[in-house]
Amino acid sequence: MSELRDLRLFIAAATHGGFRGAARVTGVPVSTISEAVRRIEDRLGVRLLHRTTRSVALTEAGRALLERIVPALEGVESALESAAGFGRGPRGTLRLNVPGAVTRKILPPILTGFLKAYPDISVDLTVNDSLVDVLSEGADAGIRYGETLAQDVIAVPIGPRVQRGATAASADYIARHGAPQHPRELLSHACIRTRFPGGALTEWEFERDGEVLSVDPSGPLTVSTQAAEIAIATAVSGLGIVASFEAWLRPALDDGRLLPVLESWWPTFEGPFLYYSSRHHMPLPLRAFVDFVKAWPRS
């Protein structure tokens, strides 16, 4: 087991820019990681990492070992987990990286059902709207929408398969400014925008009878994608038109705090996916979650 730990620390140093990067990710002291790599090198009689005062880089032997050892080591650990799991259910920690868009309506019932079904599994949930490789960030799996998924992942549908965008404004706003009859008329209205963490504004996209168009309106408020409640509340107060998921606006639409705007132009799009690497053996908590999601009823 100590040799497996040394190999894991070597992989961390090789994939995270050296000993300090590996220490940040693993929580293991730099000196411990350095000693682990040196033990492997002494055992093999070959240098695996070039070390300078400023950087650490793989040697040719180190690169060859890394390519072979990652899948092999994951296979060993998966086998050990499976053996340990006989006689009891899966246990451990499942690390998920998800966008804010799934945390309000889609994920909560699935996650609470899963935790009740698997009391020995804990979930470490990170909410991140950035378009990053969440698997390289240390997550076992991520949830994203189809257009942002990489080609080399396994994707499992999660939540509703069809969602709809919506635009709405308060009766007071419409009484004062009128209701736009075409998406381009939004350019002359006060619109409440949302922005991704990387700085890009979310698109206002519309579709009708096969015609698809985007507009880039402006208005009194721009908020992070994780502050959608503020955008909706601002629209309810009469300060502008908001665009969001229909499911998020539906309570305010149903009770009259908001009125639909350009409803015949509201776009539909495919729901999100749970995804994980096709190159890795699945930890038992992830396997349990994937099976649970596959069995979850979808609309």
Side-chain angles (χ1 to χ4, degrees), residues 68-125:
R68 297 286 298 274
I69 202 63
V70 168
L73 188 57
E74 287 172 345
V76 170
E77 292 184 342
S78 178
L80 291 172
E81 287 180 354
S82 296
F86 279 100
R88 55 176 172 82
R91 62 183 60 202
T93 300
L94 171 66
R95 294 175 176 81
L96 296 176
N97 189 302
V98 308
V102 304
T103 60
R104 290 186 56 189
K105 299 289 186 180
I106 296 173
L107 191 57
I110 296 174
L111 203 54
T112 54
F114 175 73
L115 290 172
K116 289 177 181 178
Y118 295 95
D120 291 327
I121 294 178
S122 61
V123 175
D124 184 336
L125 182 70

Side-chain angles (χ1 to χ4, degrees), residues 238-290:
L239 290 175
I241 299 173
V242 66
S244 189
F245 292 92
E246 180 187 6
W248 292 13
L249 297 180
R250 182 49 56 192
L253 289 167
D254 287 345
D255 64 20
R257 287 175 295 149
L258 291 175
L259 299 179
V261 170
L262 297 169
E263 186 171 8
S264 65
W265 284 90
W266 288 0
T268 58
F269 50 91
E270 189 174 32
F273 291 85
L274 170 73
Y275 74 98
Y276 52 95
S277 174
S278 62
R279 300 185 300 273
H280 295 75
H281 293 273
M282 294 175 66
L284 291 181
L286 176 58
R287 166 53 65 192
F289 188 63
V290 169

Side-chain angles (χ1 to χ4, degrees), residues 1-293:
M1 298 303 291
S2 62
E3 290 183 354
L4 289 177
R5 182 171 184 267
D6 285 354
L7 288 169
R8 267 297 178 201
L9 294 177
F10 160 69
I11 292 170
T15 56
H16 293 283
F19 301 135
R20 294 188 184 279
R24 285 194 298 271
V25 171
T26 64
V28 177
V30 170
S31 59
T32 302
I33 298 173
S34 177
E35 291 166 5
V37 173
R38 189 165 302 281
R39 280 194 295 271
I40 300 172
E41 290 176 331
D42 290 344
R43 193 177 306 126
L44 298 177
V46 64
R47 183 174 290 275
L48 301 175
L49 296 174
H50 291 301
R51 304 161 176 84
T52 69
T53 56
R54 294 188 176 184
S55 65
V56 172
L58 284 165
T59 65
E60 184 176 356
R63 189 174 297 105
L65 177 63
L66 183 67
E67 291 175 355
R68 297 286 298 274
I69 202 63
V70 168
L73 188 57
E74 287 172 345
V76 170
E77 292 184 342
S78 178
L80 291 172
E81 287 180 354
S82 296
F86 279 100
R88 55 176 172 82
R91 62 183 60 202
T93 300
L94 171 66
R95 294 175 176 81
L96 296 176
N97 189 302
V98 308
V102 304
T103 60
R104 290 186 56 189
K105 299 289 186 180
I106 296 173
L107 191 57
I110 296 174
L111 203 54
T112 54
F114 175 73
L115 290 172
K116 289 177 181 178
Y118 295 95
D120 291 327
I121 294 178
S122 61
V123 175
D124 184 336
L125 182 70
T126 297
V127 179
N128 186 347
D129 285 330
S130 300
L131 300 180
V132 298
D133 180 358
V134 301
L135 303 180
S136 70
E137 296 289 313
D140 297 309
I143 297 176
R144 290 295 187 272
Y145 283 82
E147 67 271 15
T148 64
L149 291 178
Q151 295 297 313
D152 59 343
V153 299
I154 299 174
V156 177
I158 184 170
R161 298 326 308 142
V162 177
Q163 293 185 263
R164 193 158 70 144
T167 42
S170 70
D172 175 62
Y173 177 89
I174 292 175
R176 287 183 289 114
H177 301 282
Q181 301 304 306
H182 189 278
R184 294 191 185 91
E185 294 179 18
L186 291 168
L187 298 176
S188 61
H189 280 266
C191 295
I192 300 159
R193 302 300 302 272
T194 53
R195 184 188 300 278
F196 290 110
L201 290 168
T202 57
E203 289 187 355
W204 282 36
E205 188 171 278
F206 299 88
E207 65 177 7
R208 187 174 71 179
D209 299 331
E211 181 184 3
V212 178
L213 58 88
S214 296
V215 296
D216 186 21
S218 60
L221 177 68
T222 300
V223 301
S224 164
T225 50
Q226 294 184 5
E229 284 289 357
I230 295 176
I232 295 171
T234 303
V236 169
S237 72
L239 290 175
I241 299 173
V242 66
S244 189
F245 292 92
E246 180 187 6
W248 292 13
L249 297 180
R250 182 49 56 192
L253 289 167
D254 287 345
D255 64 20
R257 287 175 295 149
L258 291 175
L259 299 179
V261 170
L262 297 169
E263 186 171 8
S264 65
W265 284 90
W266 288 0
T268 58
F269 50 91
E270 189 174 32
F273 291 85
L274 170 73
Y275 74 98
Y276 52 95
S277 174
S278 62
R279 300 185 300 273
H280 295 75
H281 293 273
M282 294 175 66
L284 291 181
L286 176 58
R287 166 53 65 192
F289 188 63
V290 169
D291 290 342
F292 188 85
V293 168

